[in-house]
Amino acid sequence: MDRPATIKDIARQLNISISTVSRAMRNAPDVNPETRKAVMALSEELNYLPNKLALSFKQRSTHNIGVIVPNLDYVIATMVKGIDEVALEAGYTVMVCQSNESFGREIVNTRRLLDSLVDGFIISVSSETKVFDHIRKIQENHMPMVVFDRVTSALSAPSVGLDNMDGGFQATEHLIEQGFKRIAILAGPKNLSISNDRMEGYLKALKKHRIKPDNDLIIHCDFNQDYAFVATQELLAMKKRPDAIFTISDRMAIGAMLAIKQKGLSMPQDIGLVGFNNEPVVSLVSPAISSVEQPAFELGKMAAKLFIETIHNNGDMSHVREVLKPKLYVRESSLRIPEKNGRLR
Amino acid sequence: MDRPATIKDIARQLNISISTVSRAMRNAPDVNPETRKAVMALSEELNYLPNKLALSFKQRSTHNIGVIVPNLDYVIATMVKGIDEVALEAGYTVMVCQSNESFGREIVNTRRLLDSLVDGFIISVSSETKVFDHIRKIQENHMPMVVFDRVTSALSAPSVGLDNMDGGFQATEHLIEQGFKRIAILAGPKNLSISNDRMEGYLKALKKHRIKPDNDLIIHCDFNQDYAFVATQELLAMKKRPDAIFTISDRMAIGAMLAIKQKGLSMPQDIGLVGFNNEPVVSLVSPAISSVEQPAFELGKMAAKLFIETIHNNGDMSHVREVLKPKLYVRESSLRIPEKNGRLR
DNA sequence: TTGTATGCGTTATCAT
DNA sequence: ATGATAACGCATACAA
């Protein structure tokens, strides 16, 4: 009586067949109410639990979703929460693996999850990832897959992303409207589309306002506070230094802020600053940093919804590309002209 | 040829038996090298992958670990990273479920993971959890389980926790040594041992230095910035207000800081402040906040190690209680007497 | 309404 | 060195 009870045990004790027990369990229509009652009673008594492993095996489906993320920072953790929310609703459970922004680790993890009984993938690639063979392998294995956040056109899969260009545009145009003239950008790694798109938006805003982009003001560096710190130091050491900086992440904005403070400059008088992500920290530092917010929770939910749809629709959904709009939150770090309808908060 | 190949297919095509193929695959000793070569070649060609689902089914083990956490904040995400690290090493994959500090959600999640083919649990209970039946059910199901971070004596399971009392003691004694006299504590929810232990340490430090504890200075409130903000406002409104506050989380410290600033008081002159967790944010705000650091990554690794041991040792390990030491990082918010060997950073 | 038999992919036991 | 067969727990097509 140590081993968990199976329908076999119930059948034997009740002197009926396994199939009858199976049917009774699943409320099949054609089963004698009395039989069902007996089965239910005994299964209760034996503490019967259906063996999901056997079920999954038979049905070739675990109802598990593999989620691969580059890390679990504030924004991504929020997205994962959104994914989990919808997955739970749909009867799926989520397995999260962090690649730590490492290409090698990402490969290990996809392999791991491929082996680990998932029905499919929801994935955001690492910043190192430039080759996508390991991910295409998922698709070759007939596994449904949704790409989120760090969307790339290199993969033919349904995706949910942010309108990063719009985010970059909003941030930059805001700075322009506040009277900043020489606006630098700390862009991220070159191979990430979210970097490029945000920079695209930056360039678009400049163009719209007839400001000639200056290559010296465009810095590519890692999504990293320390790199941003150094990069900003260099920017501030220029003879014609920028009067504003747009960083494509808040971590980088913090790094920039530290460099600005170290140099003894003040925001927004000497230097304007706008970040990206709207993490809680940006409203806690002084001055509070303006930032572009992503609807992270919504984005996660959308990704999971797409995944569920992909599972149910057998048709090809690789053309589906959802794009969510970001929203700029203006704070002290970039606000020279107080607004009448104070978006400040 | 759409369906993934199985050993059966290989056997048929090679005109040998299934068992031979199976043996060849697993490098069994008693198989003809030529046969093996043929098998390997064909399995390569057919892109054969062993069906893990079938394996798990047969072996009654998925090599998946269910991890239940109250949320994925900085500290816990770091712990999860530690768990993942060790799990990967040992050939396990982690399924993370967030309870969102909700008792009901925690029950749903344990249920979900119990159903979801995990071999066991690594769990940190929600702050709402006062009844542990759902968790005991795990143990009744013969599932190995390790409790981490929020350890409770209500559960008889191996555990890894922090020496929270020591953390509370370090923080409080530091404040005392800095000359603070009326030290308040924002303690967390009463049912969490981590709250009680940190408060215990607070009381111990007071006692050691012959300071009589004042019940008005002991506030229980949620692990929450807003609650801490309100609680601090009330503290500061007292006729004999405290001259220092120890909050048992950094979130709460931020809330306290905002209330202190709002009141126009300065740290550490008017009010000293020490938090707990040493999240990155505390060194970014101004003044930087002193905080007690948990070895979160190590703690996660330890939890996973314990889990693996529990799986391998069949013996009862419920008596094992690992306890890790925290470390105080002193910053401006509490530093009245500059130290010669500057622990400041 | 109930029972029998088969199969899912693999390993293991027992033959040969 | 290799093959036949049972077994894991469950669902289901078919037979009764």
Side-chain angles (χ1 to χ4, degrees), chain B residues 17 19-20 23 30 32 35 60:
Chain B
S17 79
S19 16
T20 304
R23 276 187 287 251
D30 52 350
N32 190 315
T35 313
R60 304 180 157 64

Side-chain angles (χ1 to χ4, degrees), chain B residues 7-60:
Chain B
I7 46 173
K8 222 182 250 180
D9 301 319
I10 298 180
R12 203 173 313 130
Q13 293 196 36
L14 252 42
N15 258 322
I16 56 178
S17 79
I18 295 178
S19 16
T20 304
V21 177
S22 172
R23 276 187 287 251
M25 287 301 182
R26 283 169 298 128
N27 290 320
D30 52 350
V31 51
N32 190 315
E34 303 219 353
T35 313
R36 162 166 310 135
K37 233 173 62 187
V39 167
M40 289 318 204
L42 186 55
S43 81
E44 187 76 17
E45 189 188 325
L46 295 184
N47 226 315
Y48 168 77
L49 280 181
N51 181 328
K52 292 276 177 174
L53 219 39
L55 274 179
S56 295
F57 170 54
K58 191 147 197 14
Q59 301 166 177
R60 304 180 157 64

Side-chain angles (χ1 to χ4, degrees), chain A residues 32-79:
Chain A
N32 190 317
E34 302 219 353
T35 314
R36 162 167 309 134
K37 234 173 61 186
V39 167
M40 288 319 204
L42 186 56
S43 81
E44 187 76 18
E45 188 188 324
L46 294 184
N47 225 314
Y48 168 78
L49 279 181
N51 182 328
K52 291 276 177 175
L53 219 39
L55 274 179
S56 295
F57 170 53
K58 191 156 195 9
Q59 302 166 177
R60 303 180 158 65
S61 152
T62 55
H63 279 68
N64 290 163
I65 308 175
V67 175
I68 294 186
V69 294
N71 60 62
L72 275 179
D73 66 20
Y74 171 76
V75 175
I76 298 182
T78 308
M79 291 179 184

Side-chain angles (χ1 to χ4, degrees), chain B residues 42-332:
Chain B
L42 186 55
S43 81
E44 187 76 17
E45 189 188 325
L46 295 184
N47 226 315
Y48 168 77
L49 280 181
N51 181 328
K52 292 276 177 174
L53 219 39
L55 274 179
S56 295
F57 170 54
K58 191 147 197 14
Q59 301 166 177
R60 304 180 157 64
S61 153
T62 55
H63 277 67
N64 290 163
I65 309 175
V67 175
I68 294 186
V69 295
N71 59 63
L72 275 179
D73 66 22
Y74 172 75
V75 175
I76 298 181
T78 308
M79 292 178 182
V80 170
K81 204 179 269 187
I83 292 176
D84 196 52
E85 187 89 4
V86 172
L88 173 63
E89 194 83 19
Y92 283 80
T93 303
V94 158
M95 312 184 67
V96 183
C97 284
Q98 310 180 49
S99 64
N100 288 329
E101 303 285 3
S102 145
F103 178 59
R105 188 64 183 264
E106 186 171 291
I107 291 180
V108 171
N109 280 338
T110 51
R111 178 76 209 189
R112 199 147 71 112
L113 290 180
L114 263 177
D115 281 358
S116 283
L117 327 169
V118 300
D119 285 357
F121 282 82
I122 299 180
I123 186 167
S124 180
V125 298
S126 91
S127 57
E128 271 181 34
T129 304
K130 300 180 181 76
V131 181
F132 298 93
D133 295 356
H134 58 302
I135 297 182
R136 293 209 191 85
K137 191 175 245 165
I138 295 174
Q139 299 180 298
E140 285 167 16
N141 271 44
H142 312 86
M143 287 246 182
M145 176 176 92
V146 168
V147 176
F148 77 107
D149 191 28
R150 302 197 181 163
V151 177
T152 165
S153 52
L155 288 169
S156 160
S159 66
V160 195
L162 187 75
D163 190 336
N164 284 292
M165 177 148 107
D166 185 55
F169 182 84
Q170 284 188 48
T172 310
E173 182 164 57
H174 160 69
L175 284 168
I176 295 171
E177 286 170 355
Q178 291 294 318
F180 295 101
K181 303 290 183 197
R182 279 180 63 72
I183 302 170
I185 179 172
L186 295 191
K190 280 187 182 173
N191 58 309
L192 274 186
S193 70
I194 59 169
S195 309
N196 296 329
D197 292 349
R198 288 171 195 179
M199 188 169 76
E200 207 62 47
Y202 161 84
L203 293 173
K204 192 174 147 201
L206 293 188
K207 187 169 183 187
K208 176 178 169 191
H209 291 270
R210 302 211 161 72
I211 300 176
K212 222 182 101 200
D214 179 342
N215 275 330
D216 294 343
L217 297 182
I218 299 176
I219 315 282
H220 284 278
C221 67
D222 218 344
F223 272 115
N224 182 300
Q225 184 171 314
D226 298 331
Y227 284 116
F229 181 78
V230 174
T232 304
Q233 283 184 320
E234 287 171 9
L235 277 174
L236 298 182
M238 291 172 62
K239 17 187 200 309
K240 280 188 64 179
R241 69 161 191 246
D243 63 356
I245 303 177
F246 165 44
T247 65
I248 69 159
S249 86
D250 283 339
R251 291 261 161 260
M252 293 161 80
I254 296 287
M257 181 191 79
L258 294 177
I260 292 169
K261 285 188 174 177
Q262 192 202 47
K263 180 93 174 174
L265 299 172
S266 70
M267 293 162 279
Q269 296 75 24
D270 303 319
I271 302 275
L273 181 62
V274 177
F276 210 108
N277 283 348
N278 204 28
E279 297 186 26
V281 60
V282 295
S283 58
L284 297 174
V285 296
S286 179
I289 301 173
S290 303
S291 190
V292 178
E293 180 179 76
Q294 316 192 31
F297 189 70
E298 284 308 319
L299 202 149
K301 282 173 68 170
M302 185 80 82
K305 271 180 206 154
L306 257 185
F307 181 86
I308 305 294
E309 275 183 51
T310 308
I311 294 250
H312 291 135
N313 286 20
N314 290 320
D316 183 23
M317 302 200 27
S318 60
H319 59 282
V320 179
R321 314 218 153 217
E322 298 282 352
V323 175
L324 272 52
K325 287 283 176 193
K327 184 178 168 197
L328 174 68
Y329 283 89
V330 176
R331 300 194 181 82
E332 302 151 13

